[in-house]
Every structure is written in structure tokens, then in C-alpha cells.
Amino acid sequence: MLPEPIPLKPVSSQGAGPAGVTKPRHPGGPARFLTDVIVDLGLVERDRVANAIDEGRRSGKMPEDVLIEHGVLTAEGLSRAVAERHGLDHLDLGTFQPDMTAANLISIPAAKRYEAVPVAFVDDRTLLVAMADPANVLAVDDIALLTGKEIRPAVTSREDIRGLISRLTRLDQVVADDEEEDDQSPAEVVDLRESADDAPVIRLVNQIIAQAVEQGASDVHLEPTGNELRVRFRIDGVLVESTTVQRRMVLGVISRMKIMSDLDISERRIPQDGRVGLTIDGHKIDLRVVTLPSVHGESVVMRILDKSSVVMELDKLGMAAQERERFERAFHQAYGAVLVTGPTGSGKSTTLYAALGQLNTIDKNIITIEDPVEYQLEGITQVQVNAKAGLHFHTGLRSMMRADPDIIMVGEIRDRETAQIAVESALTGHLVLSTLHTNDAASAIARLVEMGIEPFLVASAIDCVVAQRLARKLCQHCKERQIITSEELRNNGIRSQFDMEAYEARGCPRCGHSGYKGRVGLYEVMTVTDEIRKLALARAPGPEIAEVAVRQGMRLLRDDGIEKVRNGLTSIAEVTRVTGSGSAPIESSA
């Protein structure tokens, strides 16, 4: 008799419990025929099962195989019945998120031989293993010897097992193959791959990177927690836990990342940064790697730059017609400055790239200075900031002015000198596009004045300011329509006298049970009018400028978010999360 199932620790990346795990109805019950279990679960009618038993007796086949051949029983249904018969958990690997650290504890040939893959850690001593045949005690014993862990079998279909093994093989190869072709990879990479002891570490790192790209992550965080290394992905702007690397592999994983990025593996006391170029599933991926020393050891953060996954077309960013018209009118002018504001990771550079895409014609000389150059644009001269060589934003910008540019894009205005040159460039016949860190559009003017730029220069140079945020989009497969009461709206900082029809997040396997899939932009676009220029000359604060801009037709970030809630694109909770808890003067219709 196999041991009674024990509760799993939550392994779902969304923290909502082990999605895809089905507990047996009668664990440890009396022994039963598999056909009786199939009937009890309601998978096949008893008469059909009886016929299959008779046919199997005549043909020498198992009754369940006969049922599958006739299309009466599915492979998934059979695996559920096997799990119930043995009193074991059943895993749906289409929903359950395997732990890559656990999966790499045995080799892929061993997984194929045993038709079994470790998929999670139940606790420090026990490993959850997905098996097609849990009665194969030899396989259980061998996996226990290979991993040094106690084994908790769980049942899944053979098709799911083969699919998972195939996926693990692909995740390993899509990264490893490119490393061998990359001329920039150091020789140590080859040596490391040839070491049998380190092969699981290399495979694990490859699979973590490939899985992050597959799930659309923008960043990968590897954070030491004492004895383990926690791996988290930033997906749609939110960090979710992916896996935990066990203590014996932690140093190997960190060293592997540093070797790939051409960093000093012996230096652990100071931060380091590097990059590595990979090809995953046929397209180029650029990883920006930063290491940080912490009290528990070195942590690593990888920024994934995947040009193929970035939307750089203005009509697909989510900007409403009125806001888009204002923005396009501003950046199609011959000169002046257009600023995009917002916190880090709000999509400012993507918006500017989309604008440059429209401006990039053969008759214009476009030069950018960025830190770093995230995506290379054909036909545009892009300059990378290099602080070690003395190339800063202000020094590069000063040199760019002597290179006969028509359009200049400054990655970020960080200091007074850069702001001064950018503003003067906008006043001397150049179109200047740049980003600035402010909470809203109106505050950008006040920020430049605070930096020391004369108000008359700011008032004359700035033509348009765009503030933006990125909100997660509701999953189109599982979002639920509901009525949001006026009281709930007020609790979220939205003044309204009426209830609102909208959609809220629910969660399903397609969205990782988060309720969200993808992101959409929230925008406010402020055109600098004569009245706003007068306020800038008078050094008026941001709220006063915003009040005038709203009277002149500017829609606030919160208002744009509420409109997208009404249209079923996002939720009230998400709009509140990215815009803050301040009230917005809106009237919601029932």
C-alpha cells in the first residue's frame, strides 16, 4: 500500500495554492479494480465498462486500453482513475507549474526511461514526482537514489509526461545552442558545459531564462534567502515566484550567470553589471545582468530585452483617439520639446520609440542618446551612454548638436545640464523627445523649473507632456462581468453617485490564475497652451497647471483608467494600484 498523500506547500506562481492538483476522494481505502473506479468517477457507464472487460478477455487487452481505443475514455480520465485507485494526488500538467529546480534533479534520459519527472518540493526531504505508472516501485526507488530525497508519487497521463519532458529538452536547447555559436561567449562556458558535475546547473539556468521568455517576463530576480535562492519573474509589472534553487546549487547558478555575462566570478563584494546575447526560439534576446552583494549572498537581476515582444506601433499602445491626436500633433512639429513622464517601467521609452517609428523617414536625421540602448532601430543613429569613458547625457547631447540632427531623443533628463541643453535645442529648430520622472503631466513643467531652467525657456520650449502608466489587462478568457457599487468605487478613491458595469479578474490556467494577461497604457496628454505658458512663467505649482489643463480638455490618468474599466480592458483594483488612491472627479453611469 502506497503512503497516504500529504498536503503540498503552495507551488502556484500566483500564491493561490497548488493549481492543477486533485486530491483523491478516498485515500487509503480498500483495494478496487481500476474499472470500478472508472465507473465510480462517472467517466464511463457501467455497461460500456462491462463490454470492454469482455472484449479485453477475448483479445488479451486491459479493459481500460479497450475503452481508450474506442474513444470512450481519455488518457486524462484514465490517469485520474489510476490516481484515485492508489489514493494519490492527480496532476494536470497543463495547469500545474513545475518547479525547474526539482525537474533538473534527474537527467532527461532518466525521466524518459521511468516516465516520471520531479515537479515540486513537498518539504526539505520530500520530492513530488509526476508518474504515469505509480505502481512502478523500481522507478520510485531509483529516483530516490538519484535525488537523495523521499519520493511522493503523483499521477499524470503519459501524454503530459512526454510533453513536459519535451518542453524541458527544448527549454535547455534553445539557450545552450546559441551559446556555442556566440563569438562573445568566454571560453569558460565551454569548459563548464563539459563538466559532468556542473551540467545540472547549466541546464537549470538555461531553463530559467527560457521559461522567463516563454512567460513574457521583463525581469528575472535571483535572490538569496539564507540557504536557498528564490527565483521570481516580473510578469506584466508584478513579481511572481517561479522556483527555489536548493542550497547546493546556489553558488553554481550565480557563477554560471556571471560567466555568461562576462563578469568576474571571484568578485562578490561590489556590484557588477554585464550583458549576454542569446537566441531563443529563433529570435534574439538581450539580457542586462546586474549583481548586488547582500547580507545573504549575491543576488542577480536580469532585464530581458526582447524586441519581438514589444509593441512599437502607436495605434496598439492603448492611447485613446483624442489623446493620440494631441500627441501626434505635437511630435510632428518641426521643433519644440515633447516629454513623456512616469515612474520606471511605465513604458515611456516604448512610447517614444513608437513616435520615432512614425518620424523615421529618409529626409530626417534622427539621433538618440540612451542609457542603455534597449532596442536598435534601423535608420536611426543611437548613442549609448558610457560613464566610464566620460560619455554622459549632457556631453553626448552637446556633441549630437554638432552632427546636424533634425530630431533628438534623450533617454532621460536627469540633471540640470542635460535639461538646459535639451530645452535650448528645442528652441533652436530641433524636435526634442525625452522622458522625465514625474507623477503626472503638469508636474513636468514645475520639475524643470526646480532643476534650475529659467521659466521663460521652459514656457517657450515645451509643447506637449504625456504622463503614462501600464495597467494589467484582464484575461479575455476568464474575466467576470459584475456590478461595482458606488460605495466600492468610493472605497477605491473614485467619486461617483452611480453603480458601474464592469469586469473583474477571476483567474484561469491561461493567465496563470492571476486574472490578467498583458498590459495596456493609461495616458494623460497635456498640450501646452498660452494660458499654461503664463502659469509656467509665474512658477505656478503642478496642481494649478493641471486644473487649467483639465478645463482645456485634458483627461487625467485616473479618468482614462476608468474608461478602460468600462470597456472591459482592466479592473478598478488595477487602475487604483497604478495611479494611486487619490480621488478622480468622474461620473459613472449605471
Side-chain angles (χ1 to χ4, degrees):
M1 176 69 70
L2 290 168
E4 183 178 342
I6 60 176
L8 289 172
K9 69 177 182 179
V11 292
S12 168
S13 60
Q14 303 300 330
V21 180
T22 303
K23 298 293 182 182
R25 297 180 182 179
H26 308 290
R32 293 183 292 169
F33 288 111
L34 184 57
T35 49
D36 292 335
V37 178
I38 291 172
V39 173
D40 291 344
L41 291 178
L43 300 172
V44 183
E45 296 177 356
R46 187 171 294 278
D47 292 344
R48 300 295 297 269
V49 169
N51 293 336
I53 293 173
D54 291 339
E55 184 177 337
R57 187 179 294 116
R58 293 192 303 270
S59 62
K61 297 179 179 178
M62 299 298 292
E64 55 270 20
D65 293 334
V66 174
L67 291 171
I68 289 178
E69 286 179 5
H70 288 289
V72 179
L73 180 66
T74 64
E76 181 71 14
L78 176 59
S79 65
R80 289 183 181 275
V82 171
E84 182 68 25
R85 181 193 183 194
H86 292 290
L88 297 173
D89 297 326
H90 177 267
L91 297 184
D92 179 1
L93 293 182
T95 303
F96 185 86
Q97 183 64 47
D99 187 321
M100 288 300 174
T101 306
N104 278 280
L105 291 179
I106 67 172
S107 66
I108 289 175
K112 291 179 179 178
R113 184 165 63 252
Y114 301 131
E115 291 188 316
V117 180
V119 291
F121 294 95
V122 179
D123 53 40
D124 292 339
R125 297 180 303 170
T126 310
L127 197 61
L128 182 72
V129 178
M131 305 183 68
D133 181 11
N136 187 348
V137 292
L138 293 177
V140 173
D141 290 343
D142 286 352
I143 295 173
L145 287 172
L146 288 171
T147 61
K149 301 281 187 181
E150 297 179 10
I151 302 303
R152 170 66 55 189
V155 184
T156 190
S157 67
R158 279 187 168 81
E159 287 77 4
D160 275 1
I161 288 286
R162 291 166 184 164
L164 177 57
I165 292 173
S166 174
R167 178 167 170 260
L168 290 172
T169 304
R170 184 179 63 82
L171 289 178
D172 182 24
Q173 291 177 345
V174 291
V175 179
D177 288 346
D178 184 68
E179 289 176 356
E180 294 173 352
E181 298 170 2
D182 192 350
D183 294 333
Q184 296 181 353
S185 296
E188 289 83 355
V189 173
V190 178
D191 295 339
L192 193 61
R193 288 183 60 83
E194 291 173 351
S195 171
D197 292 338
D198 293 326
V201 171
I202 296 169
R203 195 166 67 245
L204 174 60
V205 170
N206 289 345
Q207 290 172 354
I208 287 174
I209 295 172
Q211 185 182 29
V213 173
E214 185 181 75
Q215 295 184 11
S218 60
D219 301 87
V220 179
H221 292 246
L222 289 80
E223 303 156 331
T225 59
N227 294 330
E228 298 176 328
L229 189 72
R230 181 174 64 175
V231 180
R232 296 192 292 172
F233 297 160
R234 188 175 294 279
I235 301 174
D236 295 333
V238 177
L239 282 172
V240 295
E241 189 165 358
S242 170
T243 186
T244 301
V245 178
Q246 299 301 296
R247 178 171 56 182
R248 66 185 180 86
M249 301 179 73
V250 170
L251 290 178
V253 168
I254 297 297
S255 295
R256 172 64 178 170
M257 286 307 311
K258 293 169 77 171
I259 288 174
M260 290 175 65
S261 310
D262 200 17
L263 302 180
D264 184 357
I265 62 172
S266 64
E267 181 57 75
R268 301 177 182 175
R269 300 165 298 174
I270 60 175
Q272 299 185 71
D273 61 271
R275 62 166 294 276
V276 58
L278 304 172
T279 298
I280 297 181
D281 278 352
H283 56 269
K284 292 288 184 180
I285 300 295
D286 196 25
L287 297 182
R288 302 299 169 98
V289 181
V290 176
T291 67
L292 294 171
S294 71
V295 293
H296 295 299
E298 278 188 293
S299 65
V300 176
V301 178
M302 293 182 285
R303 168 64 59 88
I304 300 173
L305 301 177
D306 181 5
K307 184 176 181 180
S308 65
S309 67
V310 177
V311 176
M312 293 189 186
E313 299 177 28
L314 203 57
D315 58 349
K316 295 181 180 179
L317 294 179
M319 196 176 287
Q322 180 181 349
E323 280 73 25
R324 179 179 170 181
E325 181 182 352
R326 289 183 171 202
F327 183 44
E328 287 187 328
R329 187 166 59 245
F331 69 70
H332 276 105
Q333 295 184 131
Y335 57 88
V338 177
L339 302 179
V340 180
T341 73
T344 301
S346 59
K348 302 185 297 295
S349 297
T350 301
T351 299
L352 290 183
Y353 281 140
L356 289 177
Q358 290 196 15
L359 295 170
N360 188 13
T361 56
I362 195 67
D363 60 330
K364 291 186 175 66
N365 180 25
I366 303 176
I367 306 178
T368 75
I369 181 164
E370 306 167 62
D371 183 23
V373 175
E374 295 186 357
Y375 303 104
Q376 296 181 11
L377 305 178
E378 187 176 352
I380 294 178
T381 302
Q382 295 175 271
V383 179
Q384 167 106 17
V385 168
N386 188 342
K388 293 180 180 179
L391 178 57
H392 302 277
F393 274 114
H394 60 274
T395 55
L397 189 54
R398 190 177 288 112
S399 299
M400 286 161 53
M401 293 303 300
R402 298 191 289 269
D404 188 31
D406 296 299
I407 299 169
I408 297 169
M409 197 269 270
V410 184
E412 182 182 344
I413 294 178
R414 297 177 178 174
D415 52 51
R416 181 188 179 281
E417 196 166 0
T418 303
Q420 186 76 33
I421 300 171
V423 167
E424 290 174 355
S425 302
L427 292 172
T428 54
H430 304 89
L431 177 64
V432 178
L433 308 177
S434 186
T435 70
L436 192 65
H437 284 290
T438 62
N439 290 329
D440 54 30
S443 299
I445 291 177
R447 177 64 54 82
L448 290 173
V449 173
E450 290 169 0
M451 282 184 172
I453 310 303
E454 291 295 333
F456 72 90
L457 293 176
V458 176
S460 302
I462 308 301
D463 289 319
C464 179
V465 183
V466 179
Q468 71 176 76
R469 301 289 189 277
L470 288 178
R472 290 182 294 172
K473 292 175 66 175
L474 288 168
C475 174
Q476 299 303 305
H477 297 283
C478 66
K479 63 181 182 180
E480 286 187 337
R481 188 181 184 189
Q482 57 183 247
I483 300 294
I484 304 175
T485 66
S486 58
E487 182 179 357
E488 289 177 296
L489 292 172
R490 287 192 295 271
N491 290 338
N492 282 279
I494 300 168
R495 297 198 302 269
S496 176
Q497 301 176 4
F498 306 102
D499 297 341
M500 180 192 295
E501 290 186 12
Y503 291 86
E504 288 298 312
R506 179 185 175 189
C508 69
R510 291 184 178 91
C511 60
H513 297 276
S514 68
Y516 298 95
K517 188 74 171 177
R519 288 194 284 182
V520 64
L522 309 183
Y523 300 91
E524 64 180 36
V525 182
M526 183 182 76
T527 301
V528 180
T529 62
D530 290 339
E531 189 174 354
I532 292 176
R533 296 185 199 280
K534 292 178 181 177
L535 291 174
L537 288 169
R539 298 177 182 265
E544 187 175 339
I545 295 174
E547 186 177 344
V548 172
V550 169
R551 285 206 310 267
Q552 294 177 347
M554 181 183 80
R555 184 162 62 174
L556 296 173
L557 278 169
R558 178 67 65 87
D559 297 340
D560 189 37
I562 295 302
E563 185 64 27
K564 288 179 169 66
V565 170
R566 287 197 187 99
N567 294 335
L569 292 176
T570 188
S571 67
I572 287 289
E574 188 65 11
V575 170
T576 302
R577 182 182 71 85
V578 300
T579 63
S581 57
S583 297
I586 69 162
E587 295 294 334
S588 299
S589 59

